[in-house]
Amino acid sequence: EPEVTQTPSHQVTQMGQEVILRCVPISNHLYFYWYRQILGQKVEFLVSFYNNEISEKSEIFDDQFSVERPDGSNFTLKIRSTKLEDSAMYFCASRSRGLDSPLHFGNGTRLTVT
Amino acid sequence: LAKTTQPISMDSYEGQEVNITCSHNNIATNDYITWYQQFPSQGPRFIIQGYKTKVTNEVASLFIPADRKSSTLSLPRVSLSDTAVYYCLVGPGANNLFFGTGTRLTVIP
């Protein structure tokens, strides 16, 4: 079964540094998402992306965050200047065209900001 | 977006059937009901989705009453590996984006 893959599995960075989290969605999927989950808390929506533009974003997704689909396969989340509170698991998800098609998630990147 | 309410936690013995109910009183006409499962340090995994009545797949059943203001995820004969957090999401298919706090199911030997 095709799956969403995320790299790296764990990223450690210093406060103020830029990080790029990478995702390869399922190949025929058209809608792409980033979520995060702070340890012990719920899964929080960050942003959705379709047709090379952001379709929806949450209050968490401020100017420090950006997303990009630089080629036909990768989908990236950039955090410009990391803060301690950005430490979390970041999940990428994708889905196909149908209105009832569910989200398929990767296994996440654990970001630790020191 | 319809707000969902689920029990925070449930315990069950191995081999039992588990039913997790989700309340969504303000569900809209075009909203789907989708359930996901999450194991520690893994991404959520789709279990089942429905719009009305009953849906069954190889993993679970989903019961939706006529008024659609609630739904029940049924897991037959749970095993220890079913210990996870289960999330109910309600929304129009394309925008079924927001997770609640979920139900932490613990299966006891």
Side-chain angles (χ1 to χ4, degrees):
Chain A
E1 184 179 323
E3 53 182 39
V4 176
T5 57
Q6 292 186 242
T7 55
S9 57
H10 192 184
Q11 173 97 43
V12 181
T13 189
Q14 288 191 326
M15 196 167 52
Q17 296 297 302
E18 174 184 286
V19 294
I20 298 176
L21 310 182
R22 302 181 191 281
C23 170
V24 179
I26 294 172
S27 63
N28 63 345
H29 284 188
L30 301 175
Y31 299 83
F32 312 110
Y33 306 82
W34 283 100
Y35 286 80
R36 79 171 186 193
Q37 186 173 33
I38 296 170
L39 186 63
Q41 298 187 24
K42 68 179 185 180
V43 178
E44 299 176 292
F45 169 74
L46 293 179
V47 67
S48 59
F49 191 85
Y50 170 71
N51 200 25
N52 281 320
E53 59 183 30
I54 290 173
S55 39
E56 190 164 349
K57 60 182 181 179
S58 70
E59 292 177 352
I60 303 168
F61 194 87
D62 61 21
D63 292 345
Q64 292 298 312
F65 292 89
S66 62
V67 289
E68 192 178 29
R69 188 154 161 82
D71 53 41
S73 59
N74 291 286
F75 180 50
T76 62
L77 174 70
K78 181 193 291 186
I79 309 176
R80 198 161 291 120
S81 175
T82 50
K83 304 187 284 285
L84 294 176
E85 54 265 38
D86 293 327
S87 294
M89 283 287 286
Y90 287 82
F91 295 109
C92 172
S94 68
R95 67 174 191 86
S96 61
R97 181 184 293 278
L99 276 181
D100 59 347
S101 61
L103 297 171
H104 294 259
F105 284 82
N107 275 331
T109 294
R110 179 174 299 283
L111 177 65
T112 303
V113 182
T114 61
Chain B
L1 288 169
K3 179 177 164 54
T4 59
T5 304
Q6 303 174 232
I8 293 173
S9 64
M10 295 179 71
D11 293 338
S12 176
Y13 288 102
E14 267 192 300
Q16 299 292 304
E17 178 184 80
V18 170
N19 295 308
I20 305 174
T21 296
C22 179
S23 297
H24 27 82
N25 289 318
N26 59 339
I27 189 168
T29 304
N30 58 344
D31 285 349
Y32 287 85
I33 300 157
T34 312
W35 285 80
Y36 290 86
Q37 174 193 56
Q38 187 182 29
F39 298 114
S41 298
Q42 292 188 25
R45 185 174 73 101
F46 170 78
I47 302 175
I48 198 166
Q49 180 176 263
Y51 182 81
K52 61 181 179 180
T53 62
K54 177 184 173 183
V55 181
T56 297
N57 61 22
E58 65 276 10
V59 176
S61 294
L62 178 60
F63 298 93
I64 305 168
D67 66 4
R68 305 200 325 124
K69 291 182 184 300
S70 67
S71 58
T72 299
L73 175 73
S74 181
L75 305 172
R77 297 182 299 282
V78 293
S79 63
L80 297 178
S81 62
D82 292 317
T83 293
V85 179
Y86 292 82
Y87 296 95
C88 160
L89 275 69
V90 173
N95 295 318
N96 204 344
L97 303 173
F98 298 94
F99 287 74
T101 52
T103 297
R104 183 175 300 278
L105 172 66
T106 303
V107 179
I108 306 162

